Amino acid sequence: MITIIADSGSTKVDWRVVYPDGTVKRLSTSGINPVFLNQKEICAILEQLRASFEGEVGRIHFYAAGVTGAQMEKHMQECFLQVFPQAVSSADSDMVAAARALCGNQPGIACILGTGSNSCFYDGAQIAPDKVPAGGFILGDEGGGAVLGRKLLSDFIKRQLPAEIDRAFKAQFPEVDMNLIIQKVYREPMPGRFLATFSPFLHENSHHSHINNLLHSSFAEFFGRNIAQYDYKQYRVNIVGSIAYFYQDIISEEAEKQGMTIGKILKTPIEGLLAYHQS
């Protein structure tokens, strides 16, 4: 029987189809977030997946940011049942995915640094209930791509960027003005995704002192406001996500300043999840 493992964002799902002989097929489809998609829309994506391989599916392990409780888990299981009627399925959050991908069956501090940020203590089997809430890019998400972008845009509209960075920003984003920012952040859905699109610009200009300070202070906030509340002296800090991957040097510096030790840094959780479910 085939096992399917999936890591889903709102834009894309990374699928791993594991055959009984250990062969793995790598597939992708458009993203599945059960908060925003109804059953018909999710099943349409699953039908596309089903047409991409042959064989009977026995088990499905699905992880996504939108799986926030029993209701969403049931919603996803009903969808899987329609397309893969013989399969036993589970649906868990992206935080569970991060913990399993980073820590496997061992205890540790697991974090996400992508568009948003999140963290938990994982005891090797489950997430401890007293995790620090993420808060979203308005109240929290320190160090996440949306907050980095928010800080950059705030400096831009308040004329706080050094002249050379201001010129570079305007050259790369000539369409970005106050009207567009207001529209994208306050009137359109998924403002966090818009804000996070400016992370590559920050990475390209991370050598500049102003941007370097913005990045260092942002990651210092992530550790100070989140990770400091876990037992970081006993356990390493493990992080998954594109922001963690591309800024790992700065992240490691800020962690060391606060007496913390970085363990694993992964760009995506899917290969770690594959190892976890094959162990």
Side-chain angles (χ1 to χ4, degrees):
M1 297 284 278
I2 290 171
T3 297
I4 295 178
I5 302 163
D7 170 53
S8 179
S10 295
T11 304
K12 184 183 77 168
V13 186
D14 282 325
W15 303 91
R16 296 293 182 268
V17 179
V18 184
Y19 292 92
D21 64 357
T23 304
V24 178
K25 187 170 187 177
R26 291 162 172 79
L27 298 169
S28 65
T29 65
S30 54
I32 296 175
N33 187 323
V35 174
F36 301 114
L37 299 182
N38 60 38
Q39 193 172 91
K40 182 178 179 181
E41 292 168 324
I42 293 173
C43 287
I45 296 171
L46 295 179
E47 291 287 0
Q48 295 174 10
L49 173 71
R50 188 69 189 92
S52 301
F53 66 91
E54 296 180 357
E56 188 172 337
V57 177
R59 184 77 200 186
I60 301 171
H61 303 282
F62 180 82
Y63 300 89
V67 182
T68 53
Q71 184 177 354
M72 287 300 176
E73 181 178 3
K74 182 180 178 183
H75 177 50
M76 284 305 308
Q77 288 174 328
E78 289 172 350
C79 295
F80 286 123
L81 189 62
Q82 287 193 37
V83 181
F84 303 98
Q86 304 300 318
V88 176
S89 65
S90 63
D92 290 287
S93 70
D94 59 342
M95 194 69 255
V96 174
R100 290 177 175 174
L102 291 164
C103 302
N105 295 307
Q106 300 300 313
I109 299 168
C111 311
I112 298 172
L113 277 175
T115 299
S117 72
N118 209 342
S119 64
C120 73
F121 177 74
Y122 175 70
D123 67 8
Q126 58 188 3
I127 292 172
D130 61 342
K131 71 180 294 297
V132 180
F137 72 89
I138 294 175
L139 299 176
D141 275 5
E142 296 87 355
V147 170
L148 297 180
R150 173 174 61 77
K151 289 185 174 185
L152 175 66
L153 288 187
S154 179
D155 282 356
F156 173 65
I157 66 175
K158 296 290 186 179
R159 302 170 191 166
Q160 298 297 303
L161 292 177
E164 59 274 25
I165 295 298
D166 187 68
R167 286 194 298 269
F169 183 87
K170 290 174 179 175
Q172 189 163 335
F173 305 104
E175 76 285 0
V176 175
D177 58 15
M178 194 65 196
N179 290 332
L180 179 71
I181 293 169
I182 293 297
Q183 179 68 28
K184 292 289 187 181
V185 174
Y186 294 104
R187 296 173 182 162
E188 294 187 8
M190 299 186 180
R193 187 184 296 179
F194 166 72
L195 293 170
T197 61
F198 298 100
S199 176
F201 177 84
L202 291 168
H203 188 260
E204 292 164 12
N205 293 279
S206 60
H207 61 281
H208 191 283
S209 60
H210 184 90
I211 302 300
N212 194 263
N213 288 337
L214 183 155
L215 293 169
H216 274 275
S217 64
S218 296
F219 296 126
E221 287 177 351
F222 171 72
F223 289 114
R225 294 170 64 84
N226 298 277
I227 310 308
Q229 300 185 58
Y230 303 115
D231 188 2
Y232 63 85
K233 293 183 179 180
Q234 182 174 352
Y235 298 99
R236 291 174 178 259
V237 181
N238 306 282
I239 317 174
V240 66
S242 58
I243 295 296
Y245 182 81
F246 287 110
Y247 295 103
Q248 54 188 287
D249 291 344
I250 297 176
I251 287 169
S252 295
E253 287 179 31
E254 287 304 321
E256 185 176 356
K257 287 179 185 177
Q258 299 196 35
M260 302 170 186
T261 303
I262 297 295
K264 290 182 182 177
I265 291 182
L266 302 176
K267 188 176 182 182
T268 68
I270 188 63
E271 296 304 327
L273 289 171
L274 180 61
Y276 172 83
H277 287 291
Q278 289 184 313
S279 63

